[in-house]
Amino acid sequence: MRRGRSGVSRRAVLWAAAGVGVGVAATPMVASAQAQAESARRAGLAEQAISVRHLRPVWGLPGTLLGVTAWPPSPLEEVFEEWNYWFQAHLVDCAVDAALRAPAAERRDRVAAIVRGIRARNLTGWTNQYYDDMAWLLLALERADRTLGVEFADGIHDLRAALDEGWDPAVGAMRWRVGSEYYNSCTNASTGIALARLGDLSRATQLADFLDTRLRANNSGLIVDGVHEPGSQVEPAVYTYNQGATIGLETELATRTGASEQRRRATALIAATGTGMTKNGVIVGAGGGDGGLFMGVLARYLALAAITLGDTTAARIVHASAQSAWAHRADMNGLPLFGADWSEQASVPDQPENPLHLSNGRTAASANPARDLSVQLSGWMLLEADHQLTAAGL
């Protein structure tokens, strides 16, 4: 593992926080020092809340950390008998956000410790059976390396190789998991972002074209969940994170290639998302468990589009969602606890529940979804995105 880079400009930090490394940023206005300080304070409190409630060493191993899947944790959750790979991947990404917002050696070290925790708990290597999970972790590792100098080259290599195996040339898309004939938007969009950042713009463009031609709903302009092959049976459900990841992919390609078609698609999907996936301008909730992360993923990639493409609709959605989530948070010992719906008051879980279980690759929600790590990660991700936009004057 290599870590430590210094001497980067403020503009470079903002670009890195958004996730991109090349291109032309939107021309920002200068935010007031007070607004920047307040947005940073809120993001810092969300960071601290997860650190206090969720982060634990893995089985006592030094230099490792993971997030328990729920708080208060059950005894089995406390020792990571149950865990969730893709929650931890987004935990890494949020820890990178924090290290870019407030650079410090301990924050870089924490990023590395979480990555080591994932590798230790995963037991057999870096990979699992789900290509979307692996794409999320690859995105987090690439970003940690590029922006912080926290390097796990073997992880990036193994995950990239695994994603290559998930490509189905007959369909022109990524499978959801090993052996599956389901081609879902989340896997294809997250893989496309990772490949674009790793320099494979050709394959990333193929994945974007698949999403646009096969999974975009004509009536709403939103991206549906996926398609089964053979037979072209479409799963018509729409989820916030699928819009977010697809916006992220089109934004990456627009930024890196200058293609007007990718910019057009990103702008159109942002507009459709504002119409169909917000309520009073606030991103709609999707419950706990896996759904708890959906809102945060959308917020992350809306912020990317706002910073790199200058999309004002994207910025408005992020800011409105952050204001609402903060207004409806519960306060526990001075630290925020977010609800699964940012438009409704969060309630405090008062005791452990039965452990969260995976079923068919999905994690169920707690009875009170505010207990779930996924829900709290979404809140943290949102407030980091809000701060990035505020700091950029957007």
Side-chain angles (χ1 to χ4, degrees):
M1 185 199 79
R2 168 178 54 82
R3 70 171 182 82
R5 288 179 184 164
S6 60
V8 295
S9 68
R10 176 63 175 163
R11 175 176 174 175
V13 168
L14 290 173
W15 272 75
V20 293
V22 296
V24 179
T27 302
M29 301 292 286
V30 178
S32 72
Q34 183 178 2
Q36 290 190 50
E38 177 60 15
S39 64
R41 184 185 75 86
R42 293 179 179 185
L45 289 173
E47 171 196 5
Q48 187 180 350
I50 283 185
S51 180
V52 169
R53 296 180 191 137
H54 290 270
L55 292 190
R56 307 282 193 278
V58 180
W59 305 321
L61 295 173
T64 67
L65 288 171
L66 278 183
V68 294
T69 57
W71 179 89
S74 70
L76 291 179
E77 288 166 339
E78 184 83 47
V79 297
F80 301 107
E81 171 17 9
E82 296 285 347
W83 78 306
N84 188 299
Y85 183 108
W86 88 291
F87 289 10
Q88 310 301 328
H90 286 281
L91 176 60
V92 175
D93 234 354
C94 285
V96 171
D97 290 335
L100 293 170
R101 168 177 45 81
E106 57 267 27
R107 284 191 169 92
R108 291 195 303 273
D109 291 344
R110 183 178 60 190
V111 170
I114 297 168
V115 176
R116 285 193 294 266
I118 292 171
R119 175 60 188 84
R121 178 57 185 85
N122 203 46
L123 298 177
T124 58
W126 291 100
T127 63
N128 72 2
Q129 298 294 300
Y130 294 88
Y131 293 115
D132 53 348
D133 284 8
M134 291 187 279
W136 293 124
L137 183 55
L138 178 57
L139 280 167
L141 295 188
E142 185 278 334
R143 188 162 168 251
D145 181 18
R146 170 167 47 85
T147 64
L148 300 176
V150 175
E151 182 183 20
F152 289 86
D154 54 338
I156 291 175
H157 174 272
D158 291 358
L159 290 164
R160 172 67 189 273
L163 291 179
D164 286 344
E165 294 174 2
W167 168 253
D168 185 341
V171 178
M174 292 288 300
R175 303 175 186 273
W176 170 41
R177 62 183 179 182
V178 174
S180 173
E181 293 184 323
Y182 185 51
Y183 304 83
N184 65 339
S185 50
C186 171
T187 303
N188 283 275
S190 57
T191 300
I193 298 169
L195 294 179
R197 292 180 180 176
L198 290 169
D200 190 348
L201 297 176
S202 176
R203 178 62 54 81
T205 301
Q206 287 179 285
L207 295 175
D209 290 345
F210 169 80
L211 290 160
D212 186 64
T213 59
R214 300 290 306 277
L215 299 183
R216 187 182 298 275
N218 291 329
N219 59 340
S220 67
L222 295 170
I223 300 298
V224 301
D225 194 58
V227 60
H228 298 271
E229 295 291 359
S232 299
Q233 179 186 348
V234 171
E235 294 288 348
V238 291
Y239 300 110
T240 47
Y241 81 138
N242 290 336
Q243 317 316 311
T246 305
I247 289 166
L249 173 55
E250 298 290 9
T251 299
E252 287 286 344
L253 290 171
T255 303
R256 293 169 188 277
T257 69
S260 60
E261 175 63 9
Q262 263 66 48
R263 178 181 284 269
R264 183 196 66 78
R265 290 180 191 173
T267 301
L269 185 52
I270 291 165
T273 298
T275 299
M277 304 252 74
T278 68
K279 181 179 180 181
N280 298 322
V282 176
I283 296 169
V284 297
D290 281 341
L293 266 170
F294 291 4
M295 304 177 294
V297 171
L298 175 55
R300 176 180 296 285
Y301 290 106
L302 285 173
L304 173 71
I307 289 172
T308 60
L309 302 181
D311 194 290
T312 56
T313 299
R316 282 198 303 271
I317 294 171
V318 172
H319 286 314
S321 299
Q323 288 295 102
S324 187
W326 189 256
H328 291 95
R329 77 195 186 282
D331 187 288
M332 293 192 62
N333 300 317
L335 297 176
L337 183 82
F338 301 102
D341 186 327
W342 292 331
S343 296
E344 298 181 1
Q345 182 60 41
S347 61
V348 177
D350 56 4
Q351 60 186 6
E353 301 175 15
N354 291 329
L356 302 184
H357 288 290
L358 280 169
S359 176
N360 193 31
R362 296 178 173 87
T363 302
S366 296
N368 180 350
R371 181 174 173 264
D372 296 352
L373 174 62
S374 57
V375 172
Q376 301 313 311
L377 284 172
S378 264
W380 183 9
M381 212 179 305
L382 171 67
L383 294 183
E384 295 285 3
D386 179 66
H387 174 66
Q388 291 162 20
L389 295 179
T390 303
L394 298 172

